[in-house]
Amino acid sequence: MKYIVIGAVAGGMTAAMKIRRNDDKAEIIVYDKDTDTSYSGCSLAYYISGVIDNRKSIVPRDSQYFKKFNVDVKTAHEVLKVDVQNKKVIVRDLGTGNIFEDSFDKLIIATGAHPVIPQIDGTHLEGIFVLRNVKDADRIKEFINTYFPKKALIVGGGYIGLEMAEALKVLGMDVCIVEKQENILPNLDSDMARLVESYLEQKGVMIKKSTSVLRFEGDKRVKRAILSDGSKMDIDFVLLAVGVRPSTQFLEGSGIQLLPNGAIKVDEHMRTNIEGIFAAGDCAAVYFKLNGKTMYVPLGSTANKMGRIAGENATGGSMKFSGILATSIFKVFDLTVAQTGYTEKMAQQDGIEYEVGHITKPHITTAYPGAENMTIKAIAELSSRKIIGAQIVGTKGVDKRIDVLATAIFAGLTTDDLFQLDLAYAPPFSSAKDPVHYVGMVMSNFLDKRKFNCTQEKLLEKMQKGEDFVVLDVRTPDQYKVKHIKGAVNIPLEMLQNKMNLLPKDKQIIVYCNSGVSSNIAQNILQQNGFRKVYNLSGGISNVTLEQLLERSTSNSSPSSP
């Protein structure tokens, strides 16, 4: 049996090695138009910054490595066409220019994706780059080491853009991110994205949202960017990071079914619509586990799973792909950002009735040195009580919690189950009630309507509609003076029992503190004393990122009283 694999990175080489493990006598040929194989694309920003100083660390295996497994990897060979009727591929040797045919019994397509180049005048100028493979990183490093740029513009506020913002700052550049959407990180909910924006601005990264680049200017190298907000920026380095598209142009007219974005349509076995032809990795579509809908989410972890399944089934297996939750994580400076499952926007598009909550807790016991807070946004379905989505922003311990929550969502656990999870505890690693436990407790309270929750977006909506309600700040007067919600009255928690008679029982009361702990206690006190419409501001004022809600007091101002 002869197998041809197109693509020699995550999906392709995983498939090739799975074929070899299953079939010792198989003839396996891998074609790739690049010269690097099995590289770590997710490490490129750290290679550029110098955190990873050895190129071999991100390209640990070259084509020669696979010869000992009798896998023939032909780099610098581009597949131009797939002839499905005759089971042949047309290949160009990029070294010699020769074009030849090769036949196959089974074919696996794992050609990955390529960066989108936006239609902007001047993108041909030197100093403007994309970042997808190791050669891109080499070119960026060479340019930086030759011309020592000082002012960098990153077009696109996704994961790559933010990782490179850190890398370029580490290398001594002033960095500006231009994002045409209303927020950076469009795959996150806006409230969580704004937490990241605030952090980046503290780190000296300029962010321009709802803005696009009209054109780049310069003689030979880029010198200036003209933006849609009318501003001009002097720059000497540009990274275009506006997304990727599946590298499947060579399949047009082949009969292999493609989605409108060019992704190869595959079933749960990684089979295309053509018998004997499979696809895996960033060139192929996947489906979202929670609704079964096809989606395009190019991730290295997913590509490895798909490659294994494709290799198994190409050799006669019947392994099924269970779908994805779009779980992802990245770091920028000391901040970690992670997500899994539904966002609010996705849940709304699917017509799901849900409850949302924000929980801010330390990653370890506060008595142990080094405890740092993380903010978890959780989404639970009302009807099933299942946890269906989570997003986390914090400095430490985020990876552990997002993986637990992803596992819980994958397994269909409810918010009640989260509290019951038997998680490891010791002061250096967690708290007796882990942040995941708090997610379960808080969300169960919301679902049971024992507690009422109000997000900052709902609060702003109430204000804009002119609804009659009271906002109650239960922090200290000094904390109130620094920053508070507009129109909030201040009754410190320890004084609430004696002063609650000043609050109207016939109105909604929205209570808040810094993170939600003291306001939860205040909510209990008020509910147990006849107040029936008491809402807790989700996550507290520390997570309020809508400036329309905030008022920052002068040093001599006095807190408002009821």
Side-chain angles (χ1 to χ4, degrees), residues 179-405:
E179 171 56 58
K180 69 177 182 179
Q181 305 293 334
E182 293 181 358
N183 296 101
I184 62 170
L185 298 171
N187 291 333
L188 285 184
D189 285 328
S190 57
D191 52 352
M192 300 299 281
R194 287 192 295 266
L195 292 176
V196 183
E197 289 172 13
S198 177
Y199 175 83
L200 286 172
E201 288 168 348
Q202 293 172 23
K203 289 292 185 179
V205 176
M206 181 188 298
I207 299 173
K208 285 179 171 283
K209 300 177 292 183
S210 301
T211 305
S212 56
V213 178
L214 299 181
R215 67 181 181 275
F216 296 111
E217 296 179 345
D219 296 328
K220 185 178 179 184
R221 291 198 298 274
V222 65
K223 295 296 181 186
R224 193 175 302 105
I226 311 300
L227 305 183
S228 61
D229 63 2
S231 64
K232 299 179 180 180
M233 294 187 64
D234 292 330
I235 52 174
D236 47 13
F237 180 93
V238 176
L239 178 73
L240 303 175
V242 298
V244 298
R245 289 197 181 116
S247 296
T248 57
Q249 305 92 320
F250 70 104
L251 296 177
E252 293 179 5
S254 67
I256 296 172
Q257 189 173 356
L258 305 178
L259 297 178
N261 72 337
I264 302 169
K265 185 175 181 179
V266 294
D267 64 11
E268 59 190 357
H269 300 282
M270 300 297 109
R271 298 178 300 205
T272 70
N273 61 308
I274 305 296
E275 185 177 354
I277 299 181
F278 302 76
D282 293 355
C283 65
V286 293
Y287 68 91
F288 192 54
K289 182 175 176 61
L290 300 182
N291 62 13
K293 292 182 179 179
T294 298
M295 63 192 312
Y296 181 65
V297 183
L299 293 170
S301 54
T302 304
N304 275 279
K305 294 174 197 167
M306 296 171 76
R308 177 180 174 84
I309 294 168
E312 170 70 17
N313 295 334
T315 51
S318 58
M319 187 183 294
K320 292 183 179 181
F321 184 51
S322 296
I324 68 166
L325 296 173
T327 306
S328 60
I329 189 169
F330 76 99
K331 70 173 285 292
V332 54
F333 299 103
D334 295 323
L335 195 69
T336 303
V337 183
Q339 70 178 111
T340 186
Y342 272 111
T343 61
E344 278 199 81
K345 182 179 179 181
M346 292 171 64
Q348 290 164 6
Q349 289 172 342
D350 279 357
I352 295 173
E353 293 185 337
Y354 63 89
E355 183 63 79
V356 62
H358 298 76
I359 299 92
T360 299
K361 290 293 174 184
H363 82 292
I364 59 174
T365 302
T366 52
Y368 194 88
E372 296 192 21
N373 279 343
M374 68 177 71
T375 295
I376 304 175
K377 178 178 183 177
I379 301 173
E381 186 178 30
L382 290 181
S383 59
S384 67
R385 302 179 67 88
K386 289 181 180 179
I387 185 80
I388 61 172
Q391 299 162 53
I392 311 180
V393 174
T395 52
K396 295 179 180 178
V398 171
D399 53 342
K400 172 181 176 179
R401 276 67 185 204
I402 201 67
D403 283 343
V404 172
L405 289 168

Side-chain angles (χ1 to χ4, degrees), residues 418-449:
L418 290 185
F419 171 67
Q420 299 286 356
L421 290 178
D422 190 14
L423 303 178
Y425 161 63
F429 306 104
S430 180
S431 51
K433 287 196 291 286
D434 190 83
V436 171
H437 290 136
Y438 276 103
V439 170
M441 290 188 291
V442 169
M443 297 305 291
S444 291
N445 281 338
F446 292 160
L447 292 171
D448 291 338
K449 302 304 180 186

